[in-house]
Amino acid sequence: MAQGLGTGSFRNWLLDNLVPAALLIVALLLIWLGGGRGENSQVMRRVLGVLVALAVLGLAVTGAGKDVGTWLANLFRA
């Protein structure tokens, strides 16, 4: 049987190879840009931005965004 084209294997390759390499590059840049000059507050601000971006990426990859949205909506419901 012939199978249709899909993006599943490409998505898996991106998650397995490109995302860790990009995170390594970002970490090295953070250390290089601020760590050597003693600007620890600047580095921590950037690290916080990276953590927020990783959380958004994790929600997008796992599909848990709907569950998080439901949980947030339940916080404000009487």
Side-chain angles (χ1 to χ4, degrees):
M1 289 186 174
Q3 294 183 356
L5 295 175
T7 60
S9 60
F10 179 68
R11 178 181 174 270
N12 289 337
W13 181 85
L14 281 176
L15 291 175
D16 292 341
N17 297 305
L18 193 61
V19 171
L23 293 176
L24 178 63
I25 291 169
V26 167
L28 291 174
L29 283 173
L30 287 173
I31 292 170
W32 181 63
L33 288 175
R37 294 183 294 205
E39 297 177 359
N40 293 333
S41 64
Q42 296 287 343
V43 172
M44 291 311 294
R45 188 176 301 140
R46 291 181 184 127
V47 167
L48 181 63
V50 169
L51 289 176
V52 169
L54 285 175
V56 170
L57 180 66
L59 286 174
V61 169
T62 61
K66 180 182 176 190
D67 295 333
V68 171
T70 303
W71 176 74
L72 284 172
N74 287 333
L75 285 177
F76 297 108
R77 194 167 46 131

